[in-house]
Amino acid sequence: RAAAVAALAQAQLLSPDGVVVATALLDQAIVEANGNFESPSIGAACDALAAAALKSGDPMQSLTAINTLVRGGAKGVDAAKRVCAAVLEKQPEQILHRRILAMLLRNSDNVEAMNQIQLILDTKRPSVGLLSASYEGNQIAAAVARFDILYDQVERASGDERTAAIARLVSARADLEKAYAGTTDSSALLRSDGKLATANGKFADAVIKFNEVFKKGSEVDLELYLGI
């Protein structure tokens, strides 16, 4: 602990308003709040880290900040959304930030989350650089996120709306298979098949699919598996 305090003090001398210091201060606030994410100190630290991230103007620094902000409860998630949105306003080509924003919006604004995912799926491959190298990975992740958002919509719907939502989910499953064409890991497809079976009330089939994913050593949404 003494070494951490000394390192923080040194960082404060070198860059008192920087992301490194603001990150450490938020981590410290989280620990001292002892699980109380409504603590004013956490809110203040989240705001300070968001401001430092935006001031840096560096997409990578903002990703570091976002990674810490999401540990700060609802206030941290809100601050992370603000950082993502601000980065994208100036640099709309930052697909990873858009992906993160969609994930953060998934539970609070399903429609806007889907809009962000669609923007990623419509993006053309950049010609050079890191964004070009990560293009396929971002496209696949966006296709998975799209399927998951549509699954959420199925869970919230009933009657004819649910039937239509399941039809959209089936279409998204087909798109997901296209996205994974040429890859060796079928875990995401098995997972989507399990979710699709769950949506159709075929719980035994869903368990079989999820167990296949487990055998491959991949993760399945725990809350989904326990709910079957």
Side-chain angles (χ1 to χ4, degrees):
R1 180 176 173 79
V5 171
L8 176 57
Q10 179 66 18
Q12 285 176 311
L13 285 174
L14 296 173
S15 181
D17 300 321
V19 170
V20 172
V21 170
T23 297
L25 290 174
L26 176 53
D27 279 333
Q28 185 180 68
I30 292 171
V31 171
E32 291 177 350
N34 195 29
N36 176 21
F37 288 100
E38 295 302 316
S39 167
S41 62
I42 289 183
C46 286
D47 289 341
L49 178 51
L54 295 177
K55 182 179 179 181
S56 75
D58 181 349
M60 297 308 295
Q61 289 259 37
S62 66
L63 289 175
T64 299
I66 290 164
N67 187 51
T68 302
L69 285 168
V70 295
R71 300 201 301 267
K75 294 177 181 177
V77 170
D78 285 344
K81 291 176 187 175
R82 294 199 306 270
V83 172
C84 285
V87 170
L88 289 168
E89 186 175 356
K90 293 183 177 180
Q91 303 179 62
E93 74 280 3
Q94 295 296 333
I95 295 177
L96 183 52
H97 289 73
R98 197 173 297 284
R99 244 179 68 199
I100 293 170
L101 179 58
M103 291 166 60
L104 295 174
L105 287 168
R106 180 178 167 186
N107 292 323
S108 61
D109 191 342
N110 204 265
V111 173
E112 183 55 30
M114 185 64 85
N115 289 340
Q116 295 298 326
I117 289 299
Q118 195 58 52
L119 286 171
I120 296 172
L121 294 172
D122 292 342
T123 299
K124 297 185 183 300
R125 176 195 281 278
S127 56
V128 294
L130 179 61
L131 293 176
S132 176
S134 60
Y135 179 79
E136 276 87 2
N138 279 316
Q139 289 289 306
I140 288 173
V144 171
R146 179 173 180 266
F147 182 92
D148 288 341
I149 292 170
L150 289 172
Y151 177 82
D152 292 344
Q153 292 176 359
V154 169
E155 290 296 282
R156 296 181 183 127
S158 60
D160 290 344
E161 288 185 3
R162 184 178 177 87
T163 300
I166 290 176
R168 291 193 293 270
L169 193 64
V170 170
S171 177
R173 167 60 178 79
D175 291 340
L176 193 58
E177 186 159 8
K178 292 176 185 176
Y180 269 89
T183 63
T184 57
D185 186 3
S186 62
S187 298
L189 299 179
L190 290 169
R191 174 179 172 276
S192 65
D193 286 340
K195 285 194 165 188
L196 191 54
T198 302
N200 283 307
K202 299 178 179 179
F203 302 118
D205 290 347
V207 170
I208 290 171
K209 293 296 183 181
F210 292 147
N211 281 337
E212 289 184 52
V213 178
F214 280 131
K215 288 176 185 176
K216 289 177 172 290
S218 299
E219 294 182 358
V220 174
D221 302 38
L222 184 60
E223 73 279 6
L224 179 69
Y225 192 80
L226 293 177
I228 294 174

Short mmCIF file of all heavy atoms in Angstrom, two decimals, residues 173 176 185-196 205-206 208-214 216 220:
data_model
loop_
_atom_site.label_atom_id
_atom_site.label_comp_id
_atom_site.label_asym_id
_atom_site.label_seq_id
_atom_site.Cartn_x
_atom_site.Cartn_y
_atom_site.Cartn_z
N ARG A 173 -29.29 -14.72 -36.63
CA ARG A 173 -28.49 -15.95 -36.50
C ARG A 173 -27.85 -16.28 -37.84
O ARG A 173 -26.68 -16.70 -37.91
CB ARG A 173 -29.37 -17.09 -35.99
CG ARG A 173 -28.75 -18.51 -36.10
CD ARG A 173 -27.47 -18.63 -35.30
NE ARG A 173 -26.93 -19.97 -35.36
CZ ARG A 173 -26.24 -20.49 -36.37
NH1 ARG A 173 -25.97 -19.74 -37.44
NH2 ARG A 173 -25.77 -21.72 -36.31
N LEU A 176 -25.05 -13.95 -38.43
CA LEU A 176 -23.93 -14.29 -37.56
C LEU A 176 -23.10 -15.42 -38.17
O LEU A 176 -21.86 -15.38 -38.12
CB LEU A 176 -24.47 -14.72 -36.19
CG LEU A 176 -23.47 -14.84 -35.03
CD1 LEU A 176 -22.75 -13.53 -34.80
CD2 LEU A 176 -24.20 -15.28 -33.77
N ASP A 185 -13.63 -21.28 -34.52
CA ASP A 185 -14.37 -21.44 -33.27
C ASP A 185 -15.87 -21.22 -33.52
O ASP A 185 -16.29 -20.15 -33.92
CB ASP A 185 -13.86 -20.42 -32.25
CG ASP A 185 -14.50 -20.62 -30.87
OD1 ASP A 185 -15.28 -21.57 -30.71
OD2 ASP A 185 -14.20 -19.82 -29.96
N SER A 186 -16.64 -22.26 -33.26
CA SER A 186 -18.09 -22.19 -33.48
C SER A 186 -18.86 -21.88 -32.20
O SER A 186 -20.08 -21.97 -32.17
CB SER A 186 -18.59 -23.52 -34.05
OG SER A 186 -18.36 -24.58 -33.14
N SER A 187 -18.14 -21.49 -31.14
CA SER A 187 -18.79 -21.28 -29.84
C SER A 187 -19.91 -20.25 -29.90
O SER A 187 -20.99 -20.45 -29.33
CB SER A 187 -17.76 -20.85 -28.80
OG SER A 187 -16.79 -21.85 -28.61
N ALA A 188 -19.67 -19.15 -30.60
CA ALA A 188 -20.68 -18.09 -30.67
C ALA A 188 -21.93 -18.58 -31.40
O ALA A 188 -23.05 -18.19 -31.04
CB ALA A 188 -20.11 -16.86 -31.36
N LEU A 189 -21.75 -19.43 -32.39
CA LEU A 189 -22.90 -19.95 -33.13
C LEU A 189 -23.69 -20.92 -32.26
O LEU A 189 -24.93 -20.91 -32.26
CB LEU A 189 -22.44 -20.63 -34.42
CG LEU A 189 -21.70 -19.73 -35.41
CD1 LEU A 189 -21.27 -20.53 -36.64
CD2 LEU A 189 -22.58 -18.56 -35.82
N LEU A 190 -22.97 -21.76 -31.52
CA LEU A 190 -23.65 -22.69 -30.60
C LEU A 190 -24.41 -21.91 -29.52
O LEU A 190 -25.53 -22.27 -29.15
CB LEU A 190 -22.63 -23.62 -29.95
CG LEU A 190 -21.99 -24.67 -30.86
CD1 LEU A 190 -20.81 -25.33 -30.16
CD2 LEU A 190 -23.01 -25.71 -31.29
N ARG A 191 -23.77 -20.85 -29.04
CA ARG A 191 -24.40 -20.01 -28.02
C ARG A 191 -25.67 -19.37 -28.57
O ARG A 191 -26.71 -19.33 -27.89
CB ARG A 191 -23.40 -18.94 -27.57
CG ARG A 191 -23.93 -17.90 -26.62
CD ARG A 191 -22.78 -16.94 -26.28
NE ARG A 191 -23.23 -15.81 -25.52
CZ ARG A 191 -23.74 -14.70 -26.06
NH1 ARG A 191 -23.90 -14.63 -27.37
NH2 ARG A 191 -24.11 -13.70 -25.29
N SER A 192 -25.59 -18.87 -29.81
CA SER A 192 -26.78 -18.25 -30.41
C SER A 192 -27.87 -19.29 -30.64
O SER A 192 -29.06 -19.00 -30.45
CB SER A 192 -26.42 -17.56 -31.73
OG SER A 192 -26.00 -18.49 -32.70
N ASP A 193 -27.48 -20.53 -30.99
CA ASP A 193 -28.47 -21.59 -31.16
C ASP A 193 -29.15 -21.90 -29.83
O ASP A 193 -30.36 -22.17 -29.79
CB ASP A 193 -27.81 -22.86 -31.71
CG ASP A 193 -27.46 -22.73 -33.18
OD1 ASP A 193 -28.04 -21.86 -33.86
OD2 ASP A 193 -26.60 -23.50 -33.65
N GLY A 194 -28.37 -21.85 -28.75
CA GLY A 194 -28.94 -22.08 -27.42
C GLY A 194 -29.93 -21.00 -27.05
O GLY A 194 -31.02 -21.28 -26.52
N LYS A 195 -29.58 -19.76 -27.34
CA LYS A 195 -30.49 -18.65 -27.05
C LYS A 195 -31.75 -18.73 -27.91
O LYS A 195 -32.86 -18.45 -27.43
CB LYS A 195 -29.78 -17.31 -27.27
CG LYS A 195 -28.80 -16.94 -26.18
CD LYS A 195 -28.40 -15.48 -26.28
CE LYS A 195 -27.71 -15.01 -25.01
NZ LYS A 195 -27.47 -13.56 -24.99
N LEU A 196 -31.57 -19.12 -29.17
CA LEU A 196 -32.72 -19.24 -30.06
C LEU A 196 -33.66 -20.35 -29.58
O LEU A 196 -34.88 -20.19 -29.60
CB LEU A 196 -32.23 -19.51 -31.48
CG LEU A 196 -33.26 -19.42 -32.61
CD1 LEU A 196 -34.00 -18.08 -32.58
CD2 LEU A 196 -32.58 -19.62 -33.96
N ASP A 205 -33.12 -28.49 -25.59
CA ASP A 205 -32.21 -28.25 -26.71
C ASP A 205 -31.21 -27.15 -26.37
O ASP A 205 -30.03 -27.22 -26.75
CB ASP A 205 -33.00 -27.84 -27.96
CG ASP A 205 -33.83 -28.98 -28.54
OD1 ASP A 205 -33.59 -30.13 -28.13
OD2 ASP A 205 -34.71 -28.70 -29.37
N ALA A 206 -31.69 -26.14 -25.65
CA ALA A 206 -30.80 -25.03 -25.26
C ALA A 206 -29.68 -25.52 -24.36
O ALA A 206 -28.51 -25.16 -24.55
CB ALA A 206 -31.61 -23.94 -24.56
N ILE A 208 -28.39 -28.47 -24.23
CA ILE A 208 -27.45 -29.26 -25.04
C ILE A 208 -26.47 -28.33 -25.75
O ILE A 208 -25.24 -28.56 -25.76
CB ILE A 208 -28.21 -30.12 -26.06
CG1 ILE A 208 -28.97 -31.24 -25.34
CG2 ILE A 208 -27.24 -30.71 -27.09
CD1 ILE A 208 -29.92 -32.00 -26.24
N LYS A 209 -26.98 -27.26 -26.35
CA LYS A 209 -26.11 -26.31 -27.06
C LYS A 209 -25.14 -25.63 -26.11
O LYS A 209 -23.96 -25.48 -26.40
CB LYS A 209 -26.97 -25.27 -27.79
CG LYS A 209 -27.79 -25.83 -28.93
CD LYS A 209 -26.91 -26.37 -30.04
CE LYS A 209 -27.74 -26.87 -31.22
NZ LYS A 209 -26.89 -27.43 -32.30
N PHE A 210 -25.64 -25.19 -24.96
CA PHE A 210 -24.78 -24.50 -24.00
C PHE A 210 -23.70 -25.43 -23.45
O PHE A 210 -22.57 -25.03 -23.23
CB PHE A 210 -25.60 -23.90 -22.87
CG PHE A 210 -26.50 -22.77 -23.30
CD1 PHE A 210 -27.72 -22.57 -22.70
CD2 PHE A 210 -26.12 -21.91 -24.31
CE1 PHE A 210 -28.55 -21.53 -23.09
CE2 PHE A 210 -26.93 -20.87 -24.71
CZ PHE A 210 -28.16 -20.69 -24.11
N ASN A 211 -24.06 -26.70 -23.25
CA ASN A 211 -23.06 -27.67 -22.78
C ASN A 211 -21.97 -27.89 -23.81
O ASN A 211 -20.80 -28.08 -23.47
CB ASN A 211 -23.74 -29.00 -22.43
CG ASN A 211 -24.42 -28.97 -21.08
OD1 ASN A 211 -24.06 -28.16 -20.22
ND2 ASN A 211 -25.40 -29.83 -20.87
N GLU A 212 -22.35 -27.83 -25.09
CA GLU A 212 -21.33 -27.93 -26.14
C GLU A 212 -20.37 -26.75 -26.07
O GLU A 212 -19.17 -26.90 -26.31
CB GLU A 212 -22.00 -27.98 -27.51
CG GLU A 212 -22.73 -29.28 -27.81
CD GLU A 212 -23.29 -29.31 -29.22
OE1 GLU A 212 -22.52 -29.05 -30.17
OE2 GLU A 212 -24.50 -29.56 -29.38
N VAL A 213 -20.91 -25.58 -25.76
CA VAL A 213 -20.05 -24.39 -25.62
C VAL A 213 -19.11 -24.57 -24.44
O VAL A 213 -17.91 -24.28 -24.53
CB VAL A 213 -20.91 -23.11 -25.43
CG1 VAL A 213 -20.00 -21.91 -25.25
CG2 VAL A 213 -21.81 -22.90 -26.63
N PHE A 214 -19.63 -25.07 -23.31
CA PHE A 214 -18.80 -25.30 -22.13
C PHE A 214 -17.65 -26.26 -22.45
O PHE A 214 -16.53 -26.07 -21.99
CB PHE A 214 -19.64 -25.86 -20.98
CG PHE A 214 -20.43 -24.83 -20.24
CD1 PHE A 214 -21.77 -25.02 -19.98
CD2 PHE A 214 -19.83 -23.66 -19.78
CE1 PHE A 214 -22.51 -24.07 -19.30
CE2 PHE A 214 -20.56 -22.70 -19.09
CZ PHE A 214 -21.90 -22.92 -18.85
N LYS A 216 -16.14 -26.58 -25.10
CA LYS A 216 -15.12 -25.88 -25.89
C LYS A 216 -14.33 -24.90 -25.03
O LYS A 216 -13.39 -24.26 -25.49
CB LYS A 216 -15.78 -25.13 -27.06
CG LYS A 216 -16.31 -26.05 -28.16
CD LYS A 216 -17.01 -25.22 -29.22
CE LYS A 216 -17.38 -26.07 -30.42
NZ LYS A 216 -16.20 -26.48 -31.20
N VAL A 220 -20.79 -18.81 -21.50
CA VAL A 220 -22.19 -18.58 -21.80
C VAL A 220 -22.73 -17.66 -20.71
O VAL A 220 -22.29 -17.75 -19.57
CB VAL A 220 -22.99 -19.90 -21.80
CG1 VAL A 220 -24.48 -19.64 -21.97
CG2 VAL A 220 -22.49 -20.84 -22.90
#
